[in-house]
Amino acid sequence: MNSADGVDVEGHLEHLRVERRLAAATLKSYGDALAALRDMSAQGGVSLRAVQPHHARRWAAQLHASGLAPRSIAVVLSAWRGLYRWLGREGVVQHNPIEGLRAPRAPKPLPKALSVDHAVALAEHRNGSAADPRLEARDRCMVELLYGCGLRVAELTGLDVTAAGDARGWIDRDAGEAHVLGKGSKRRSVPVGAPALAALADWLTHRGALAKAHEPALFVSRHGLRLTASQVRTRLKHRALQAGLPSHVHPHMLRHSYASHLLQSSGDLRAVQELLGHASITTTQVYTKLDFQHLAKAYDAAHPRAKKRD
């Protein structure tokens, strides 16, 4: 890969192999990236010594347009940047045309949400053969609050039985409201639906037999102490498997499902923002994309002009 314009690419790769001790796989990736740089510069009629920032930006854009993923482009740019830093130390070039150039941002994956049918199936699941009916009642109540109120798992585990002065959160059964302490120590209140209140009443008939004396937590383990987030995740995963759901379910998935289903029904983004406790509406706007996916699927399935016909 020695270049005709005097840029010793092979020497740089040997430097990475011997002095930097890069792994073989990384060396191959860098070698491929530098081969692409050499090809692009040759096609553009630009020597590697004479590459300018605008050349590098154009070539990076070409990589993006060709379908290369942002993370892969970041690896390519890292290889290019490293070459020019080495050339600068060797006195071959006066500036690094790749310095400051960054790969396009990778799109954030959309949060996964259950379908309405699967969410309702999980909430309505009853395990009549449960080894401990008390834990069955507790787990059903937790699902109802996670999905019915959109609580974060930390908000759920932070709930106390009563609204004491130092309580992080509690449920006002008479008013049908959950008062929780969210991110940034911000308090908010969310409505609690009738199914969740019924599940709560059932759980409270069992809680006293499990909770240790003076334990304030609403949700306790079989040992009588406040449930941890990890324990909630484990119980929810187990319950989803029992209910026959096809995918791994975690607490935040129920929060995503709450938001997505609420937005599908109401279309009120600002209200969803308030209910979720998001400081910025841009955080909530991700659910408009989930809602659009729902609409797109319905369109593809139902509209006669949705798909090309042979």
Side-chain angles (χ1 to χ4, degrees):
M1 281 178 57
N2 285 329
S3 175
D5 57 14
V7 173
D8 185 8
V9 176
E10 285 292 349
H12 173 59
L13 290 173
E14 184 67 7
H15 161 77
L16 295 179
R17 186 184 70 83
V18 175
E19 297 188 33
R20 296 284 303 281
R21 298 184 180 181
L22 295 189
T26 305
L27 276 174
K28 184 181 185 308
S29 296
Y30 277 32
D32 293 343
L34 296 177
L37 173 64
R38 183 186 59 183
D39 292 344
M40 288 177 165
S41 65
Q43 291 169 10
V46 182
S47 71
L48 290 180
R49 287 173 176 263
V51 169
Q52 299 297 313
H54 68 272
H55 296 127
R57 284 195 298 271
R58 183 170 71 245
W59 297 336
Q62 290 174 0
L63 293 175
H64 187 50
S66 71
L68 196 64
R71 287 184 180 179
S72 297
I73 295 175
V75 172
V76 170
L77 293 180
S78 177
W80 294 1
R81 193 177 300 113
L83 171 66
Y84 280 99
R85 285 176 180 168
W86 182 75
L87 292 175
R89 290 195 298 270
E90 295 293 311
V92 177
V93 297
Q94 297 300 312
H95 69 282
N96 188 335
I98 319 299
E99 206 67 58
L101 182 58
R102 297 291 179 264
R105 288 184 178 180
K108 291 184 178 180
L110 291 179
K112 293 182 179 179
L114 296 172
S115 68
V116 173
D117 289 344
H118 284 156
V120 171
L122 179 61
E124 295 184 347
H125 174 67
R126 300 290 186 274
N127 184 7
S129 60
D132 191 333
R134 301 170 300 179
L135 301 183
E136 164 69 14
R138 179 202 65 189
D139 293 352
R140 182 161 52 86
C141 182
M142 292 193 303
V143 169
E144 287 285 4
L145 290 174
L146 288 168
Y147 175 55
C149 302
L151 301 187
R152 299 178 176 95
V153 67
E155 294 168 350
L156 180 83
T157 58
L159 291 172
D160 284 353
V161 177
T162 58
D166 58 348
R168 291 173 55 197
W170 65 91
I171 295 178
D172 185 335
R173 297 166 64 191
D174 294 331
E177 293 180 346
H179 303 275
V180 297
L181 185 67
K183 285 187 175 180
S185 298
K186 293 182 179 179
R187 292 198 174 274
R188 74 179 190 284
S189 300
V190 294
V192 182
L197 289 172
L200 175 61
D202 184 32
W203 159 236
L204 288 175
T205 64
H206 298 287
R207 178 189 173 279
L210 284 174
K212 288 188 176 295
H214 309 300
E215 172 57 61
L218 174 59
F219 293 109
V220 296
S221 69
R222 66 174 69 249
H223 302 297
L225 301 175
R226 186 183 298 272
L227 272 182
T228 66
S230 177
Q231 289 171 321
V232 173
R233 293 187 189 97
T234 299
R235 297 298 299 180
L236 181 57
K237 179 181 178 180
H238 178 68
R239 189 171 185 82
L241 290 173
Q242 285 184 330
L245 268 64
S247 60
H248 170 65
V249 177
H250 52 82
H252 221 63
M253 184 182 288
L254 292 184
R255 177 171 160 88
H256 294 322
S257 303
Y258 165 86
S260 178
H261 300 166
L262 189 58
L263 187 60
Q264 288 173 18
S265 300
S266 70
D268 192 335
L269 187 65
R270 195 61 80 169
V272 174
Q273 177 194 1
E274 292 294 326
L275 290 168
L276 291 174
H278 287 162
S280 169
I281 199 164
T282 57
T283 308
T284 318
Q285 283 174 333
V286 67
Y287 296 106
T288 63
K289 298 178 182 178
L290 288 176
D291 189 36
F292 180 78
Q293 285 187 340
H294 166 78
L295 296 174
K297 287 180 180 178
Y299 173 78
D300 288 340
H303 198 283
R305 310 295 275 180
K307 296 180 180 178
K308 294 180 180 179
R309 300 181 183 273
D310 295 332

